[in-house]
Amino acid sequence: MQIGITAMGAYLPALRVDRKAIAREYSWSGLGMPRGGFRALAGWDEDSLTMAVEAARGLVQTAPESLRIASTSAYYTERSQSAIALDALALPRTVRTVDFGNSRRAATTAMLDALLGTGDQIVVASEKRLTQAGSAAQLAYGDGAAAVRIGEGGGARLAGFASVTHDLVDRYASQDHPTPYVYEERFVRDVAVAELIVPAIRDACEEAGIEPGHLTHVAVAEPVGGTWAAAARQLKVAAPNHCQSVSDAAGDLGTAMPLYGLGLALAAAAVGDYVLVVGFGSGVDALVFEVTGEVEGVAGFAEVLAQGFRLTSPTRFLNLSGALSLDWGMRAEFQQKSQATVLERVGRDTIGFIGGRDSGGNVQFPKSAYPVNPALSEPEMLEDVRLADLEAKIVSITADRLNFTPDPPFDFGLVQFDNGARVLMEMVDRPEQGFAVGDRVRMRLRIKSQNRELGTRTYFWKAAPLARPTLGDA
Amino acid sequence: MASGFRDKVAIVGMGCSRFGERWDLGADGLMVEAFGEALADAGIAREQIEAAWVGNALDDINVGNSALPAAHALRLQRVPVTRVENMCATGTEALRGAAYAVASGAVDIALAIGVEKLKDTGYGGLPLKTKGVQNDLWMPYGSAPGTFAQLAGAYAARHGIDAGDLKRAMAHVSWKSHQNGVHSPKAHMRKAVEMDKILNAPMIADPLGLFDCCGVSDGAACAIVTTPDIARGLGKANPVTIKAIQLSASNGWEMQYGEWDGAHVPNTRVAAGKAYAEAGIHDPKQSIDMTEVHDCFSITELVIMEDLGLSDEGRAPADILDGRYDRDGAIPCQLDGGLKCFGHPVGASGLRMAYEVYNQLQGRAGERQRGKVDFGLTHNLGGAPFNSVAAVAILGRLN
């Protein structure tokens, strides 16, 4: 049977920076930066791992053969992001994991590899990239993730592809320069269009047996604005670039950009349509899909794009994006350490949010030899129950303004699951009116603690409102 | 069945340092201050102490591990000295250890001393610790006001009380304690505070404002305990005796099992029930003359009044506003100003409470004296409402 895309998933952080409000703050400087639309901004406790898991969690009803995560902003340089995600998604340890990085094209490369294989595979792309205050990238970039599941059948068949490897240095980031260093746009656009993008798209379409003009929807991750317009003129393609919608509403998502655009494109396409996705960076990947049926999950992409909280505070934006170091006082000196031995014992159950059901039917977290259920008095083995995908209800709550958090206040309280489990949890994605006893919540994977001195993070689940508000126009 | 140790142990001497921001003293100096007063009160020499229990909750905040810092500070004479820690119940835990030693006949005279030196942390509130244990991986570490603030919302929901009415009752708790603290020379804060100021104070953890929270301070308090016979030999004709000390600790039920309403503290109810039984008290509303309870936050004291059985369930806000726990009320609470005015040097607080009851029982409380006191109760609540240790002690006179 033909290998194709069977399902997709998307995740964007709740905060959306109003570019106009921030650019206005910089108006005195004369610096050039985007002024329209929104930039998706990760919370202090979100990173490429947490967002990758959020994007992929809807795709793991069954275990795939492999899990591939592409990112240029993985927190760890020596600890596999996909291996941590495996535990967060509660996937079996027999699932192969691969990390792709070092290029914005990494996700399309990983997806192409998966499509050229034979198995059932998940590819996730996720980014939270560091940018410098005042740079155009700071407002142009966005944080977010998208995931695709590839396997037999599926509603989008790979009809043709082409790849070009070309070390065109349009921008770079390095260990010594972790924020992007950007070269002149006209140079990048001219060379990218002529040497990489147009040739690759022609080749991919030829392999698919279609003229470029037959493409009905495209998702082209542009290195600079105007790239697709220039390429489309040469290729005589009238199809809209869905990545532009992502740029406008969330920003350039790096490796996740082509996948996010692909999700929007597939949602808009009809059976029989041909859809192009292009990943760019150190070369180009062009993949042409023939739409043969429905792809699960793509309808959610536009919804995720349209929901969130508008952020207009420049200092909060700079603080959360890591561009401004605030003096939070001595309480912020608290550094939580994690121990490898403890992680080995309980880390998988913790990041997987695995509680246990006792012989009386009650679920608890964490598990224990003696159940918390007062009706039981003997030690017993509890049956694993994943709580991450369940809703719960707030039993008690406060907005703590004394405790240090990089984005006050610190909302936390007791959360009650319908299966009996009760867990003390942090809350995230704070609604405008705050949290209240009785509110229904869902679980989100977040950074639990970070130790900047030792360069380590731990992850756990936090409770969030079931829904986000719809974002208005900027 | 255990008979308890009602009247088996007498307190013959107590001491209490001045509490506050004691920039002038370390933990050793605080202990010396309290210890000297207790020795003089008991009329014994240091060398007569045969064993000591030292309560100190936060060992890494300038006191140090083990009981050796106390042995050094007081130059105890190679007697067994044991450090105990049970969160905010630590002071009472030290008293329990010393009292058990006397009650068992192991020693004749024992010392319980509690101390905490918090103001070397450099900031307000209690310090946080981390060791990379399992709980660090998932449990949110809110501040102390953050954990106790959650009682308020749950209490209001449980009893259908308007948040504004509850806030006014909470404010009365703090207002009353500040009124009392004016008369406590050893208290950290000795100024009366207007109700409006309490109600309009900056928010710390919703709905707890600044004046709903007790302060953090340095301090030490201690007790010298012995048998009633020896007490009489020391000239204490009708000594203060321990009628009961009971503790109860969470086993995870509140925070892991879906039954608790979040509006009361089960451990206080269990510890109080056992303490009343041990003391032979059948009707605490009639028998208890005064209380010193764990008013770390105003909502905590409000809930404690019900958990101790002094207010009916859901009635504490009304009782508080009616003045039932005021200085001239039916059962005054925090005659010395409580944690609200003394602050909360964790290891010392339980013994500081006992110190006030001890003085009230003997009519030695000066301006704070509440007429004749037959039974006084102390209460500590360590941890958080959803994961706590509660200690209840009842003191009275031998005859």
Side-chain angles (χ1 to χ4, degrees):
Chain A
M1 186 177 275
Q2 185 79 39
I3 297 291
I5 296 174
T6 60
M8 294 191 74
Y11 178 79
L12 294 174
L15 289 175
R16 303 302 162 80
V17 178
D18 183 337
R19 289 186 177 122
K20 190 162 50 182
I22 306 301
R24 191 183 300 127
E25 184 71 17
Y26 281 106
S27 59
W28 62 271
S29 68
L31 292 167
M33 57 188 68
R35 291 171 184 275
F38 295 100
R39 179 225 203 272
L41 178 69
W44 75 266
D45 54 358
E46 294 184 283
D47 64 10
S48 62
L49 171 69
T50 65
M51 292 188 289
V53 169
E54 288 293 339
R57 59 189 293 194
L59 309 183
V60 294
Q61 288 83 0
T62 57
E65 288 180 20
S66 76
L67 173 68
R68 303 158 180 236
I69 297 184
S71 178
T72 64
S73 52
Y75 177 69
Y76 288 104
T77 54
E78 167 65 69
R79 189 179 171 194
S80 168
Q81 189 159 237
S82 54
I84 305 172
L86 186 94
D87 286 345
L89 292 166
L91 290 171
R93 282 177 161 158
T94 49
V95 172
R96 287 186 299 110
T97 58
V98 192
D99 291 350
F100 288 73
N102 297 87
S103 163
R104 282 161 283 150
R105 186 163 58 102
T108 49
T109 303
M111 182 168 66
L112 181 57
D113 281 358
L115 285 160
L116 296 176
T118 56
D120 179 8
Q121 316 194 48
I122 290 175
V123 176
V124 195
S126 182
E127 296 284 16
K128 180 185 179 182
R129 294 179 290 177
L130 189 64
T131 53
Q132 187 167 357
S135 67
Q138 191 173 50
L139 283 178
Y141 280 13
D143 305 323
V148 56
R149 183 152 184 168
I150 287 157
E152 291 186 350
R157 172 186 77 86
L158 180 66
F161 73 94
S163 285
V164 175
T165 299
H166 184 142
D167 183 27
L168 171 61
V169 187
D170 60 326
R171 61 184 55 208
Y172 69 81
S174 67
Q175 289 196 6
D176 290 332
H177 197 289
T179 56
Y181 190 88
V182 179
Y183 286 94
E184 189 187 17
E185 288 192 5
R186 287 195 302 281
F187 153 69
V188 172
R189 183 165 48 239
D190 290 351
V191 176
V193 169
E195 305 290 331
L196 289 87
I197 293 175
V198 167
I201 293 174
R202 284 194 200 285
D203 289 350
C205 287
E206 186 178 340
E207 187 177 280
I210 63 167
E211 290 296 323
H214 289 151
L215 294 167
T216 49
H217 294 276
V218 305
V220 178
E222 300 179 294
V224 294
T227 301
W228 172 242
R233 275 195 298 275
Q234 291 186 33
L235 294 164
K236 297 186 170 48
V237 179
N241 182 10
H242 290 275
C243 285
Q244 188 60 50
S245 305
V246 185
S247 282
D248 292 344
D252 180 347
L253 303 181
T255 56
M257 189 62 158
L259 265 55
Y260 208 107
L262 177 62
L264 293 174
L266 290 175
V271 171
D273 282 355
Y274 284 88
V275 171
L276 169 73
V277 60
V278 172
F280 186 92
S282 304
V284 65
D285 294 320
L287 287 75
V288 174
F289 291 94
E290 180 190 6
V291 178
T292 57
E294 190 183 344
V295 175
E296 276 180 42
V298 294
F301 277 59
E303 196 176 311
V304 171
L305 210 54
Q307 294 174 341
F309 302 97
R310 179 192 300 240
L311 176 63
T312 57
S313 163
T315 48
R316 191 175 173 208
F317 166 53
L318 292 172
N319 172 49
L320 288 174
S321 61
L324 181 64
S325 177
L326 297 179
D327 182 352
W328 292 100
M330 286 185 183
R331 284 192 165 271
E333 293 169 8
F334 173 70
Q335 297 268 23
Q336 193 162 291
K337 190 177 179 181
S338 61
Q339 299 286 9
T341 50
V342 178
L343 285 172
E344 183 57 24
R345 279 198 302 276
V346 297
R348 186 169 158 83
D349 274 356
T350 306
I351 198 172
F353 210 173
I354 309 293
R357 179 177 283 111
D358 64 35
S359 56
N362 184 66
V363 177
Q364 66 175 70
F365 179 89
K367 290 181 283 190
S368 58
Y370 283 96
V372 71
N373 186 345
L376 302 172
S377 56
E378 297 295 326
E380 60 178 79
M381 285 292 290
L382 305 185
E383 174 196 354
D384 283 358
V385 176
R386 179 164 158 91
L387 297 170
D389 297 322
L390 303 178
E391 289 182 14
K393 188 175 74 173
I394 294 176
V395 175
S396 68
I397 183 72
T398 192
D400 190 338
R401 288 168 171 79
L402 180 62
N403 195 46
F404 166 68
T405 168
D407 195 24
F410 184 81
D411 293 294
F412 77 109
L414 284 172
V415 164
Q416 182 67 50
F417 291 82
D418 296 339
N419 61 19
R422 174 176 285 199
V423 186
L424 187 68
M425 299 189 76
E426 287 179 50
M427 313 290 165
V428 289
D429 295 353
R430 176 177 232 268
E432 202 169 315
Q433 72 278 14
F435 294 95
V437 171
D439 284 359
R440 298 289 294 181
V441 287
R442 57 170 299 179
M443 305 301 123
R444 296 283 195 190
L445 182 71
R446 296 297 178 105
I447 296 168
K448 167 65 169 68
S449 68
Q450 54 186 354
N451 187 317
R452 290 194 174 87
E453 193 176 310
L454 299 178
T456 188
R457 290 175 179 170
T458 63
Y459 298 90
F460 187 57
W461 298 80
K462 301 183 184 180
L466 295 184
R468 291 174 177 174
T470 300
L471 204 62
D473 293 331
Chain B
M1 178 146 179
S3 60
F5 68 117
R6 177 178 15 153
D7 290 334
K8 292 178 181 172
V9 179
I11 303 177
V12 290
M14 289 202 76
C16 182
S17 77
R18 184 169 60 80
F19 279 34
E21 292 171 329
R22 296 298 302 270
W23 315 122
D24 57 326
L25 290 179
D28 52 349
L30 292 166
M31 285 190 278
V32 167
E33 197 172 296
F35 184 58
E37 182 186 349
L39 279 182
D41 183 28
I44 66 167
R46 179 183 62 186
E47 287 65 25
Q48 291 176 261
I49 291 171
E50 298 168 64
W53 274 259
V54 183
N56 173 233
L58 304 163
D59 62 336
D60 51 355
I61 309 298
N62 292 311
V63 177
N65 284 327
S66 82
L68 291 178
H72 283 233
L74 308 180
R75 301 296 177 199
L76 298 175
Q77 300 298 296
R78 300 199 184 280
V79 297
V81 185
T82 305
R83 175 178 171 233
V84 294
E85 185 278 312
N86 220 344
M87 297 193 284
C88 299
T90 295
T92 302
E93 190 66 275
L95 179 60
R96 188 169 73 119
Y100 276 15
V102 169
S104 72
V107 298
D108 284 336
I109 298 178
L111 170 72
I113 187 162
V115 64
E116 211 79 46
K117 178 66 189 168
L118 292 174
K119 292 308 299 180
D120 285 350
T121 54
Y123 51 81
L126 297 174
L128 291 166
K129 293 198 287 187
T130 178
K131 290 176 179 170
V133 298
Q134 179 177 357
N135 283 350
D136 291 341
L137 293 178
W138 68 271
M139 193 183 288
Y141 290 130
S143 67
T147 58
F148 280 90
Q150 311 207 16
L151 276 173
Y155 185 91
R158 167 77 175 78
H159 297 293
I161 292 175
D162 174 76
D165 292 341
L166 183 60
K167 179 76 178 174
R168 276 186 287 281
M170 289 158 54
H172 188 99
V173 167
S174 301
W175 173 85
K176 166 267 298 169
S177 294
H178 277 292
Q179 293 282 323
N180 294 348
V182 169
H183 305 293
S184 284
K186 293 182 175 179
H188 182 174
M189 292 167 225
R190 300 190 60 204
K191 285 184 182 170
V193 181
E194 296 302 316
M195 189 67 83
D196 281 353
K197 192 172 182 181
I198 296 172
L199 285 168
N200 297 310
M203 197 60 73
I204 302 297
D206 296 353
L208 301 179
L210 180 65
F211 288 99
D212 290 301
C213 307
C214 80
V216 165
S217 62
D218 304 324
C222 68
I224 295 169
V225 294
T226 186
T227 65
D229 283 346
I230 294 172
R232 277 192 287 262
L234 290 168
K236 320 287 182 185
N238 185 17
V240 171
T241 56
I242 297 172
K243 303 294 181 182
I245 298 180
Q246 291 290 339
L247 268 71
S248 177
S250 294
N251 65 2
W253 178 81
E254 298 96 318
M255 66 183 298
Q256 280 187 288
Y257 194 68
E259 284 186 343
W260 181 52
D261 61 8
H264 72 287
V265 178
N267 284 322
T268 296
R269 295 186 179 196
V270 170
K274 288 181 177 177
Y276 293 144
E278 186 170 38
I281 289 174
H282 306 292
D283 184 354
K285 287 177 184 168
Q286 296 301 320
S287 303
I288 298 296
D289 296 307
M290 60 161 292
T291 63
E292 289 284 326
V293 306
H294 205 83
D295 58 326
C296 48
F297 305 99
S298 57
I299 186 64
T300 322
E301 181 174 318
L302 184 149
V303 169
I304 289 167
M305 292 301 104
E306 295 181 12
D307 291 339
L308 291 177
L310 303 179
S311 280
D312 294 336
E313 269 197 54
R315 282 288 306 167
D319 287 347
I320 286 166
L321 289 169
D322 287 346
R324 178 175 173 82
Y325 304 110
D326 290 358
R327 190 177 173 191
D328 56 357
I331 312 172
C333 180
Q334 329 293 46
L335 280 167
D336 64 355
L339 298 178
K340 187 77 201 69
C341 295
F342 272 79
H344 183 24
V346 183
S349 288
L351 284 158
R352 187 272 302 158
M353 295 170 177
Y355 177 78
E356 178 65 11
V357 174
Y358 174 79
N359 282 321
Q360 290 280 349
L361 286 165
Q362 297 179 91
R364 303 189 331 192
E367 287 183 89
R368 304 186 308 281
Q369 184 62 43
R370 162 76 181 196
K372 184 172 182 295
V373 173
D374 292 323
F375 290 106
L377 177 149
T378 71
H379 163 272
N380 299 119
L381 186 61
F386 43 77
N387 193 32
S388 68
V389 174
V392 173
I394 299 172
L395 305 182
R397 305 296 289 268
L398 183 61
N399 303 313

